[in-house]
Amino acid sequence: MNEMTHRPSIEAPQLRTLLLTDLCDSTSLVERIGDVDAATLFRDHDRLVLDLQQRWRGRLIDRSDGLLLLFERPIDGLGFALDYVRELRAMGDARRLELRARAGLHVGEVLTWRNSDEAVSVGAKPLEVEGLAKPMAARLMAMARPGQILLSAIAEPLAHRAARELGERGQHLLWKSHGRWRFKGVPDGQQIYEVGEPGIAPLRMPPHTPKAWRDIPLWRRPAALAAEAAIIAGIGVGVWFATRPAPAIAFNQRDWVVVADLRNLTGQSVLDDSLEQAFRISLEQSRYVNVLSDLKARDTLARMQLKPDTKLDRAIASEIALRDGARAVILPTVAEVGGKVRVSAEIIDPHTQTTLYAKSTDGAEIGSVLASIDEVSAALRGELGEAVKSVERDSLPLSKVSTSNLDALRAYSLGEIALARGEYSQAQELYQKATQLDPRFALAWIGQMRVRYAQVDAPGGEASLRKAKSLSDRLAPREAMYVDAWVSRYDEPGKTSSMWVNLAKLYPDYLPAVSNAAMWLFTDNRFKESLAFATAAAVPQNSSISIGLDSVGRAQLALGEYDKAAVAFDQASARSPGSSLRRRAAVDAARRDFVSAKKWLDRVPASNLHGNLERISLAVDQGKWDEAARISDRALQAARASGGLNARSFLLPAAVVSWKAGDRLTALRHVNEAARLSLATLRPVGSLGADAEDDAVLALAAGLLAVRMGDTELAHRVLDDFPQRKELTEVRTVAEFHSILRAEVLTAAGKPTEAVKVLVPLAEAGHERFQTHVALKRAYDALGNTAKATEQSRWLQARRGLAYIEMECSYCLQALNVADSNESATKG
């Protein structure tokens, strides 16, 4: 019994930054300077550590020759490490000693527990820290050279993005990738980075040890080279030439390549951008080779503190490949040789920047270059290890899957660059120029659609999308499936999720498909499936990794994994501040940390219309009805000015606030307007339109809210006027809200038993909406079944994250969900 009383209490896992340091050669140092001087030195050292702890908000866990510290944020851990290395060096210089420390910085989950006073009195540490993150930080520290600070792939981007907090010093930090390393006992390789100040950081590759070694391709290892030499000598030169050699690089299926900028030696400017784009289009047909997007390459340039228009030559492209985990660099060239146009390309090992393979093809004139690229591309794919049958199957001619018009191809390429930079008007003009030059250039029509989507104008992109659909025979199979998935949003939205999932499974590294599969599964409340695809999209090769991380956070918030969601949103915001800030606020609001939630929302620009949704819900959550009314009135005015779906969807949160604040007439006026406007947009025949699913749910939700306020007339009118189109009623979310509204009408009519029969199958499906359980609780309350009603209340209280993040009709029900979660807590 006594032992149970003194057993330490282990806290829940926490995400923390771990810093481990080691004072190099400390034992020999004591022998050199003697005990007395060493004691003085270590006393000064301890004062330095205490000062840095306070400066960088660190918590010292353990100390001997080295230190183990915990920090809330990676940038604090990095600040400590930088100051520690620099000031320790200065301390040594003052004593004519060489004082150097090595450091390892990592971010991960740790378990902590406090030792009893009795254990501390006999030498135990007050606080114990364990978890997989600790040995990872220790491995980094152990492999570092004296004076070197090494970071994990998790810690580096978080610290790098926040480096501006270090002031001017942060602008001059040197960041370097040391490539992929393997650690003894760890199955997967780890990307390792170094950071330091000029003149202090070694910026050298860490030494190999029995416990840590560089993940060098097999072909470059000495033993492998010796074995190859022996085999060659044994079987003879004749057999060597008769047998196809293995790929010149350790390239595996689905590995990535970086396409460097084209070297145009012809003097013909039309080839500058068009041929590089042609190489990308040709290589991207492969299911074996993945091509790093140009947008991602430019993003990595920014991380390298280089200008976006920096030429991707052999050296720069190799550095990008090392940073982003690509196995090879493709360096294309076009030149005039002997009166012919020669297209060539090299496969380059990014580790050594040496050419491993080269292929060239000559054409009679400039019009031959696309056919030459087809030939060169096929040879490159084969050299990287792709089977001949696969190359033949997935290699449609460039003239068929793009255009034979080089001017159109150049306009398209420049449009891609403009779109990547967010220059939407210029991108649209260039894509339109491409289709004017070649009206059958399907990819350029897709480009025009993508511009509209980037501007959150899906209806405006429908015409371009349908034009691309009519030219499906001018698309590679992957792009044709991509178009089909988008078209389904307009024609058969009930099939859209499955179409994105199928495309993502067929092309698992086609990141647009993977990202869209995650988002559409999320809208269907299939959160665990969504999380799997979102995680697959949140990879370094994704130019939109912030969107992937945001999708990870959404799914985790819906699943109630608040700590993990917070980390995902933090990582997304660090890369691209935007809507993730809203959702980060939702995490803290779901945890009822309203002060922190407000701080996050204060960082959302006032011009961000949708940021008002969380502001309204946060006020509703706290019962601040006057504040909620001010925000919702202002937001509704702005939404009406923007038009479209926003003008309709913002009516519902405004109605919720008016109703809860006691202004039932205004609330009913809002829901009537929402129902009328949304029903009017639902087309009886033809294309449903991009917002059909949202408008259908919005109309049903308006009827639902009217019933809750005692107005069943509007609910009946919505049910009577709702278009009975199979393409719409088969959409799972629409069908569920239709059933919820019918059930609420039944409960209001004194038929709660029938309402329960409608709702229970939905609640047991596993992907049900929040309002399904609200309606079920209300039905059980009407029946007087307290036990069942309490069960539903507990379900609602346990899913506050879902209340904030569930997505239907552009979050039009967020405020109602939040209000209902509070009422369940009160009544449950």
Side-chain angles (χ1 to χ4, degrees):
M1 193 73 174
N2 222 9
E3 292 177 4
M4 292 292 291
T5 303
H6 291 88
R7 181 174 295 172
S9 174
I10 299 178
E11 298 179 5
Q14 303 174 23
L15 192 77
R16 292 291 183 267
T17 298
L18 289 88
L19 175 67
L20 265 79
T21 70
D22 175 51
L23 184 60
C24 302
D25 300 324
S26 59
T27 302
S28 62
L29 177 66
V30 174
E31 293 175 355
R32 289 201 314 273
I33 67 175
D35 290 340
V36 175
D37 287 344
T40 302
L41 173 64
F42 289 135
R43 183 188 61 199
D44 292 345
H45 171 271
D46 292 347
R47 288 174 180 165
L48 169 64
V49 171
L50 179 60
D51 176 58
L52 294 181
Q53 271 185 262
Q54 295 170 345
R55 189 185 310 170
W56 295 106
R57 299 167 290 279
R59 183 167 190 175
L60 183 62
I61 304 301
D62 197 4
R63 70 188 310 158
S64 54
D65 292 342
L67 307 171
L68 168 59
L69 298 106
L70 290 186
F71 298 87
E72 292 289 330
R73 304 170 63 233
I75 192 61
D76 291 335
L78 177 58
F80 183 104
L82 290 167
D83 284 351
Y84 181 62
V85 168
R86 185 180 65 245
E87 295 185 29
L88 193 64
R89 182 188 182 107
M91 186 185 298
D93 291 344
R95 292 172 168 81
R96 297 184 179 180
L97 296 171
E98 185 173 321
L99 294 183
R100 300 288 184 270
R102 54 174 62 92
L105 191 71
H106 180 50
V107 175
E109 285 191 340
V110 295
L111 293 169
T112 62
W113 65 90
R114 295 185 178 278
N115 286 314
S116 65
D117 294 340
E118 182 181 356
V120 173
S121 68
V122 294
K125 293 173 289 186
L127 187 70
E128 297 283 357
V129 174
E130 291 298 340
L132 294 177
K134 183 178 175 182
M136 179 61 190
R139 289 185 176 100
L140 290 169
M141 181 270 290
M143 68 187 287
R145 294 179 182 275
Q148 193 168 46
I149 303 170
L150 296 181
L151 298 83
S152 68
I154 300 175
E156 190 270 346
L158 296 172
H160 203 154
R161 290 289 183 183
R164 61 184 180 276
E165 297 181 25
L166 300 177
E168 184 177 353
R169 180 172 55 150
Q171 300 176 16
H172 300 294
L173 290 178
L174 302 174
W175 302 81
K176 184 176 179 62
S177 169
H178 288 307
R180 235 175 138 70
W181 286 68
R182 290 193 175 274
F183 298 113
K184 185 177 181 181
V186 180
D188 298 323
Q190 306 289 329
Q191 201 77 19
I192 303 301
Y193 298 88
E194 179 182 355
V195 62
E197 296 181 84
I200 297 178
L203 296 176
R204 293 174 57 198
M205 184 76 67
H208 287 221
T209 70
K211 293 185 178 181
W213 58 92
R214 184 79 180 278
D215 190 4
I216 301 175
L218 180 62
W219 67 273
R220 289 182 58 211
R221 298 176 189 172
L225 293 174
E228 285 182 18
I231 293 171
I232 294 171
I235 64 177
V237 176
V239 177
W240 173 256
F241 281 105
T243 307
R244 183 183 182 278
I249 193 168
F251 198 91
N252 298 309
Q253 185 169 1
R254 295 173 56 192
D255 276 344
W256 293 79
V257 300
V258 173
V259 177
D261 286 342
L262 176 83
R263 293 185 297 177
N264 180 9
L265 307 179
T266 66
Q268 300 190 52
S269 60
V270 69
L271 302 179
D272 284 342
D273 301 290
S274 56
L275 293 199
E276 183 185 325
Q277 189 65 46
F279 261 105
R280 289 182 174 278
I281 295 171
S282 184
L283 287 170
E284 284 173 350
Q285 293 187 65
S286 172
R287 302 188 202 185
Y288 184 89
V289 178
N290 284 315
V291 182
L292 195 75
S293 72
D294 185 64
L295 178 57
K296 175 55 184 170
R298 302 298 161 183
D299 176 68
T300 305
L301 280 176
R303 292 182 58 204
M304 294 164 62
Q305 298 183 348
L306 297 174
K307 294 180 179 179
D309 57 355
T310 299
K311 193 77 172 175
L312 299 193
D313 58 15
R314 181 187 297 260
I316 297 295
S318 294
E319 179 64 21
I320 290 172
L322 292 174
R323 284 174 174 261
D324 291 332
R327 288 280 188 175
V329 171
I330 305 296
L331 182 60
T333 303
V334 59
E336 290 187 24
V337 181
K340 294 187 177 182
V341 180
R342 174 171 295 175
V343 174
S344 61
E346 303 168 57
I347 297 177
I348 296 169
D349 175 12
H351 297 278
T352 63
Q353 298 182 25
T354 56
T355 298
L356 304 175
Y357 173 80
K359 170 67 177 177
S360 65
T361 299
D362 292 344
E365 55 187 10
I366 194 170
S368 67
V369 291
L370 295 183
S372 297
I373 289 175
D374 284 330
E375 184 176 338
V376 171
S377 176
L380 296 179
R381 289 164 60 181
E383 187 62 25
L384 290 171
E386 186 171 357
V388 174
K389 288 185 177 180
S390 173
V391 175
E392 292 174 347
R393 181 193 64 209
D394 298 325
S395 295
L396 294 173
L398 275 169
S399 58
K400 180 175 176 61
V401 298
S402 60
T403 177
S404 58
N405 186 314
L406 290 177
D407 289 315
L409 188 57
R410 184 165 191 254
Y412 171 77
S413 177
L414 293 173
E416 291 284 278
I417 294 171
L419 179 59
R421 293 174 177 171
E423 299 167 355
Y424 299 133
S425 296
Q426 185 179 359
Q428 189 75 312
E429 289 177 8
L430 288 162
Y431 289 136
Q432 289 173 350
K433 179 67 173 177
T435 53
Q436 288 169 6
L437 291 167
D438 181 359
R440 290 180 57 76
F441 191 0
L443 285 176
W445 287 110
I446 293 175
Q448 294 177 48
M449 177 270 290
R450 288 167 55 215
V451 171
R452 293 293 189 182
Y453 278 31
Q455 295 173 308
V456 197
D457 181 16
E462 183 177 359
S464 299
L465 177 63
R466 293 199 180 279
K467 183 63 177 180
K469 171 65 177 174
S470 71
L471 297 169
S472 292
D473 61 326
R474 297 294 305 275
L475 291 169
R478 188 185 74 177
E479 279 65 33
M481 291 181 67
Y482 173 86
V483 168
D484 287 342
W486 277 121
V487 169
S488 71
R489 176 182 182 179
Y490 298 84
D491 295 347
E492 296 179 288
K495 296 181 179 179
T496 304
S497 291
S498 62
M499 295 187 77
W500 285 121
V501 168
N502 290 338
L503 180 55
K505 287 181 176 178
L506 190 58
Y507 297 93
D509 295 302
Y510 183 36
L511 297 173
V514 177
S515 297
N516 283 328
M519 184 52 62
W520 254 263
L521 287 168
F522 178 82
T523 61
D524 285 347
N525 277 24
R526 293 158 63 182
F527 302 122
K528 290 183 178 179
E529 296 170 80
S530 173
L531 181 58
F533 282 102
T535 303
V539 293
Q541 294 83 8
N542 191 352
S543 60
S544 301
I545 185 174
S546 59
I547 296 176
L549 290 166
D550 185 80
S551 294
V552 168
R554 292 190 199 208
Q556 290 170 333
L557 178 54
L559 292 167
E561 299 173 357
Y562 298 148
D563 290 345
K564 292 180 179 178
V567 171
F569 291 137
D570 286 346
Q571 292 175 338
S573 297
R575 286 171 170 82
S576 178
S579 60
S580 294
L581 293 172
R582 296 168 45 206
R583 288 181 265 283
R584 181 63 178 85
V587 174
D588 285 340
R591 295 191 282 204
R592 297 189 184 279
D593 185 352
F594 301 127
V595 173
S596 179
K598 186 179 184 304
K599 288 180 180 178
W600 286 106
L601 286 176
D602 287 343
R603 294 174 57 185
V604 178
S607 59
N608 185 320
L609 175 61
H610 291 91
N612 290 306
L613 292 170
E614 280 74 21
R615 292 188 179 98
I616 294 168
S617 296
L618 186 63
V620 167
D621 213 351
Q622 301 172 83
K624 297 180 177 179
W625 303 114
D626 290 342
E627 179 181 338
R630 284 195 303 272
I631 299 170
S632 63
D633 288 347
R634 185 174 63 245
L636 181 56
Q637 184 179 359
R640 282 175 165 154
S642 72
L645 179 62
N646 290 333
R648 304 186 290 275
S649 64
F650 270 79
L651 286 163
L652 282 203
V656 171
V657 171
S658 296
W659 172 38
K660 295 295 182 179
D663 187 355
R664 180 173 175 272
L665 289 178
T666 299
L668 286 172
R669 187 171 67 252
H670 285 327
V671 294
N672 272 275
E673 184 180 357
R676 177 177 57 81
L677 292 175
S678 54
L679 285 173
T681 66
L682 298 176
R683 307 168 187 171
V685 293
S687 169
L688 286 170
D691 297 328
E693 180 177 345
D694 286 326
D695 274 310
V697 173
L698 180 57
L700 295 165
L704 168 66
L705 194 50
V707 175
R708 297 277 298 274
M709 290 187 284
D711 181 3
T712 58
E713 181 183 344
L714 175 60
H716 283 292
R717 191 162 68 248
V718 169
L719 291 172
D720 291 341
D721 295 346
F722 195 82
Q724 296 303 306
R725 291 190 60 175
K726 182 181 178 183
E727 309 96 305
L728 196 57
T729 57
E730 285 184 347
V731 178
R732 188 181 171 280
T733 305
V734 175
E736 184 165 355
F737 270 99
H738 197 278
S739 296
I740 295 170
L741 179 55
R742 286 194 298 111
E744 285 283 18
V745 170
L746 288 169
T747 299
K751 302 176 182 179
T753 302
E754 294 182 35
V756 168
K757 290 179 181 179
V758 172
L759 294 168
V760 166
L762 299 176
E764 293 176 347
H767 308 302
E768 68 273 20
R769 319 303 292 190
F770 193 86
Q771 284 298 319
T772 292
H773 286 272
V774 174
L776 193 52
K777 176 188 177 300
R778 286 167 50 79
Y780 283 132
D781 280 335
L783 284 169
N785 191 333
T786 304
K788 288 289 187 180
T790 300
E791 182 182 320
Q792 295 305 310
S793 290
R794 288 172 179 164
W795 189 97
L796 294 167
Q797 292 168 42
R799 287 164 177 81
R800 279 177 53 80
L802 177 61
Y804 268 96
I805 202 63
E806 187 178 77
M807 188 175 178
E808 57 265 314
C809 52
S810 293
Y811 294 101
C812 71
L813 284 175
Q814 185 188 81
L816 181 62
N817 290 343
V818 170
D820 287 339
S821 73
N822 281 335
E823 289 187 9
S824 295
T826 302
K827 296 178 181 178

